[in-house]
Amino acid sequence: MHPPQWIAAWVLLLHGCAMDRPPQAASAKTDIRNCTADPPYLPPTAINTTARLAALRGTMRAHSVHAYIVPSTDAHMSEYIAERDSRLGWLTGFTGSAGTVVVTWDKAALWTDSRYWIQAERQLDCNWELQRTTWIKSIGLWILEAVPAGGNISLDPFLFSIDTWNSYSQALHGSGRTLLPIETNLVDQVWGDQRPPPASSEIYSLPAAFTGSSWQEKVAGIRQQMEQHVRRPTAVLLSGLEETAWLFNLRGNDIPYNPVFYSYTLLTNSSISLFVDETRLSAAARQSLRAGCPGPLCVELQEYGQARAHLRRYTQGNVTVWLGTEYTTYGLYGVIPQEKLLEDSYSPVMLAKAVKNAKEQELLRAAHVRDAVAVIQYLLWLEKMVPQGQVDEFSGAQHIDMLRQAQEHNRGPSFQSISASGLNAALAHYSPSNRSSRKLSVDEMYLSDTGGQYLDGTTDITRTMHWGVPTPLQKEAYTRVLMGNIDLSRLIFPPNTAGRVVESFARRALWNVGLNYGHGTGHGIGNFLSVHEWPVGFQSNNVPLTAGMFTSIEPGYYRDGEFGIRIEDVALVVEAQTKHHTGEKPFLTFEVVSLVPYDRNLIDLSLLSLEQLSLQRSSSFKDFAKSKVSSPVPSEKEFNLEENIPEDESSGSVPDDAARSSGMKLSKKWRAVISRTMNRKMGRMAVKALAEGKQGDVEEEGSLCPLSPAGSTEEPSHEKVPLSYLEMEEDGHPSVSRQLSSGEPGPGRTPAPRPAAGRILISLPSTGSDVSSPGSSNRDSLRLEESGPAYSGPFCGRARVHTDFTPSPYDKDSLKLRKGDIIGIIEKPPVGTWTGLLNNRVGSFKFIYVDVIPEETAPARKSRGPSKSKRLKPKTLHELLERINLQEHASTLLLNGYQTLEDFKELRETHLNELNITDPQHRAKLLTAAELLLDYDTASEPEEGDSSEAQPSPSEPKGDIPRDSGCFEGSETLDSSRDEAELGGPEGQLRDLSLAESS
């Protein structure tokens, strides 16, 4: 229907006046409107709504309506709606997902919550008042002031829930104004043929692999609830689009980002009626629904527009209809006699959908794993591109959508991506466009709130970043938001606790300093359904939390015109493992399934407690926390050196011979990791050989110790164990002769300098006689071949040389091989050179030149004997750091995933670089402590009464040794008496580290 001709003429007149008016005055804030300026200032994002309001007011007068209420929802109370149902957005220009509009003959106002206040100021023109609240009582008071007594206040009854209708009725009761429902929507009349057409895309069945149970099983469960209810209802009415989609395992594409379709369902105890556009059903969907016909599991397909008429006919009999008042409109509710109603806030289907079964939980977890891959790729891309000035908000949002599309089972984003930089991030639900997009800058905060739809689940995650130097306020606010996220996700609470009861834990850290945020703390999330899934969450109208529910946890802070912060994770409600059990049902807690890291640049560690730093809040997090900084080996179970060596085509370096022999390429990063591992093993072997006093002269007592202050000549106390260092290069294989070189300061010689950055330092305890410091001259260096027996420890086996090999004159480490030689193998790592004894000389050789001689029995590893003075192994990382007097690094280690001693064993030199631990003494002590923890494993006492030697299982490698590594640690399992007497064991070495610090 077209508007009357006089309205069109009036519009042309207004347009002509607008063309002739003077330029607008500039606003102090050019991104929002200024209606007090003369003339009023409107930003480019605002839309002129004068003509639309004039047309609507003409229609209102024709229907004797003095005030017309327009909501932001559709006939199914959907939060996200199709463009065809975006009546409020078309009328006002405001695109927020929550709001209410009231238009009178001379006024117009919009009510919305704090998420959209700034957005509304950007999008509304000066025809509209902005009311910063959503209370219906406030709307009612405004109407009473704007509409005189005797006036009619109208609305579309199919766009308001039962509860909302009752609230308006109560607000206007006794005021002399009449609340008059009009089934013909007045905005639709004005919108006319410009209104988008109905959806026509296919409605399809969800594959069984992505459903928690069949639709027949779900129907049976709902019917069982009907039978067990005290009122024994005969039917359940479903109005929410998610309800029907979940019940029948069907999906559609009627609403952007939400895989639902327009429908109603009337499920009775003997029949099922589905009101939908039948022509849109796929063949598989139709077959699934009709497979049980005839019978109680036969789905009768009826026209979507016939739902109300069918319900009216059904309620003429002796029936009781069970419905949820939150999702049923007053238009449907009005045709059911009051005595035949069974009302709850939510239908039994809505509640059943909210509690995921075991299969649905695993599906959602799997979706979050793949989603995390895309988000982390996006964060890395931003870190590279933002400093180059090549990313704006809009291109960033497009890029993360593209990264998600590459993930398996992806079906697009779960909502319009929120990509907000600087002041735009202060808008909690800002979405960029080509007109409003800002450049991302290293000098501003950036908020990314995005999600994906996957066949197995829906995701939603928010991260806030800063690539430069954040202000103290930004850093504190971010940290306190993170504290709230952690505090709530770690909370243990009684069963049947309402979300609103615990919601304040997410705000406490902000409240402590007078900060807050104006939106909810979380919402439910579906299995390939809506990203905001009711009735789960932390608001007053949400149901109590139950094991199996998924909810977001998303505190934030927003500073108008400057920046915004939000940190959002998705968590599963699970049973808590508590010391005591006081009732029939266990207490509950949250398991976080989001796997994307936070921005360390914005975290103020001094504000976080040690408990907050322990971020292992879920089994999923624990699994993925195994990968430490720069460590490409996630875990032994996930990595097989023979099968999973990654390629790095960008690396120009030549692969190792070992890699060439197996036909695989080793990336530069992998070779560095393997080299560091080899260096560590080789170094420890040489240390113990030196400690045995079999390698020649020793350092003169009183020589400089690298842990001592530079230039100090103070002799170490005899009560303390002096320390020296073994220097090992981070890249490349270290020279065995250089490892074993020794020297002492003498006349005219300079003391050994502190090792330079980029080298690994391992502290060595001195026994009986001191071990030399590095840096001695070549003429004082000791060669293994010049010093008697080279090695007396255990061997891994023997190897026969099949190819001659002569090292170059400059290669002092490699053994000279002749065909037929027999080598005693000391170390045989899975990749790289091996170490062995040949002709009374220890050296390295490449395993491609030898054949391993099969042994009848593997060499036994002797367990260390008990020591009277033995100190127990540290039980926690805190205890270990306390022993070596480095508690100051506890927060840094915990924050970066080193939660336990098992984690700490994986600490490497490059990790310390990325952890920004630069003090050489601290680095050396931390690396040594990590090494000694491995010694504890091999030095553990035997069980009582068990004197047998420990025999390692070849199929169960220890510590961080890759499987099939042979006796990778063979050189570390020397005779127990020699270890305890001369080296003092790992207990003594940890004690020595502490003594060195105190000295």
Side-chain angles (χ1 to χ4, degrees), residues 891-905:
S891 59
T892 299
L893 291 168
L894 287 171
L895 183 63
N896 287 276
Y898 294 91
Q899 310 280 338
T900 66
L901 293 179
E902 289 297 321
D903 296 331
F904 186 76
K905 289 178 186 178

Side-chain angles (χ1 to χ4, degrees), residues 47 95 191 237 274 441 685 825:
I47 295 178
T95 59
W191 205 347
L237 176 63
L274 172 60
S441 168
M685 177 193 71
I825 304 173

Side-chain angles (χ1 to χ4, degrees), residues 310-378:
H310 182 91
L311 183 61
R312 188 194 303 274
R313 291 192 300 270
Y314 176 79
T315 54
Q316 292 177 356
N318 184 22
V319 298
T320 301
V321 179
W322 193 2
L323 53 80
T325 57
E326 289 284 344
Y327 280 82
T328 304
T329 64
Y330 184 76
L332 285 179
Y333 175 85
V335 303
I336 306 174
Q338 194 67 32
E339 67 276 8
K340 298 182 180 182
L341 277 169
L342 172 57
E343 301 178 38
D344 277 326
S345 295
Y346 303 99
S347 75
V349 172
M350 188 69 76
L351 296 177
K353 174 177 58 65
V355 181
K356 276 51 175 177
N357 62 27
K359 183 179 178 182
E360 290 170 325
Q361 293 175 23
E362 291 307 311
L363 289 170
L364 258 174
R365 284 193 183 98
H368 278 83
V369 171
R370 295 193 305 278
D371 193 72
V373 172
V375 178
I376 293 173
Q377 288 174 336
Y378 179 58

Side-chain angles (χ1 to χ4, degrees), residues 770-811:
D770 294 341
V771 181
S772 62
S773 299
S776 51
S777 64
N778 290 336
R779 65 182 180 86
D780 294 318
S781 64
L782 299 177
R783 304 299 182 192
L784 285 173
E785 61 266 33
E786 302 171 354
S787 57
Y791 181 73
S792 61
F795 292 91
C796 299
R798 299 182 300 160
R800 177 180 287 107
V801 178
H802 60 68
T803 302
D804 293 344
F805 172 78
T806 301
S808 71
Y810 304 101
D811 186 357

